[in-house]
Amino acid sequence: MLINELTKLDREWVSERTELLFGGEFVVSREVVHNPAELPGFVVSEGHDRIGITTYNIVEDECELVTIDSLCQWQGVGSILLEAVEKVAKDAGCKTLWTITSNDNLDALRFLQRRGFVIKEVRVGIAEQIRMMKPGMQEIGHYNIPVRDEIELIKSL
């Protein structure tokens, strides 16, 4: 597996994955709209195949993990991506790394908490507001759980 910074050639694929995973070309966190295809990030590839991507946004001394997507679960792809973002954040002088997931994403909650993230806040019912901006956002998510809430997790660097 190789990890590299996202290039112009990766941007279309990032857009496609964002549309597939998040029901639109943008994501929303803390009521801020992000277009992952325009953010810095990393891609993991094996041979000619892309098998994972992550995007992030640094503001002052905080780094937001905007997206993280592994096409090969249980192979270490997510861990490699997260470690790369943590290194960039530390090198930039960030004190915290944070991210948002939805209440149905139990796999993300497990993954993040096992890597030192803690739940900071739960925004109950926020999905309805987000759907006004993103009508394509799914109503039923992973494990047939209704998508209602936003969970913010944070890790001290």
Side-chain angles (χ1 to χ4, degrees):
M1 284 188 280
L2 281 172
I3 185 164
N4 291 296
E5 289 185 22
L6 290 174
T7 67
K8 288 181 183 179
L9 296 174
D10 297 314
R11 300 297 173 174
E12 185 176 332
W13 188 66
V14 173
S15 288
E16 291 169 5
R17 294 298 300 170
T18 302
E19 179 76 38
L20 178 70
L21 295 171
F22 303 105
E25 63 185 26
F26 62 91
V27 297
V28 180
S29 58
R30 289 185 183 166
E31 301 182 45
V32 173
V33 174
H34 299 283
N35 181 342
E38 296 174 359
L39 294 173
F42 295 95
V43 60
V44 173
S45 45
E46 197 162 58
H48 296 291
D49 297 325
R50 296 178 189 111
I51 59 173
I53 52 172
T54 189
T55 59
Y56 63 90
N57 188 40
I58 295 176
V59 177
E60 297 177 11
D61 65 349
E62 291 189 338
C63 179
E64 177 184 2
L65 179 67
V66 178
T67 65
I68 187 166
D69 177 24
S70 171
L71 279 68
C72 304
Q73 204 171 17
W74 314 112
Q75 303 297 313
V77 175
S79 296
I80 290 168
L81 291 166
L82 182 58
E83 288 167 8
V85 173
E86 283 187 24
K87 181 178 181 337
V88 167
K90 287 177 185 176
D91 290 350
C94 293
K95 293 183 177 26
T96 58
L97 177 62
W98 65 276
T99 192
I100 300 287
T101 193
S102 53
N103 63 286
D104 67 305
N105 199 343
L106 304 179
D107 292 333
L109 289 167
R110 176 196 46 80
F111 173 81
L112 294 163
Q113 289 180 86
R114 290 187 64 198
R115 285 155 184 82
F117 284 79
V118 295
I119 295 172
K120 179 183 176 195
E121 185 176 349
V122 178
R123 288 182 268 288
V124 177
I126 194 79
E128 287 307 313
Q129 288 178 318
I130 296 171
R131 279 191 194 93
M132 287 185 222
M133 295 186 288
K134 276 179 85 166
M137 183 178 155
Q138 62 190 17
E139 294 201 25
I140 303 296
H142 302 285
Y143 306 104
N144 277 336
I145 298 172
V147 180
R148 297 179 302 260
D149 313 317
E150 188 176 79
I151 300 171
E152 182 174 333
L153 296 103
I154 192 164
K155 180 177 183 177
S156 179
L157 299 175

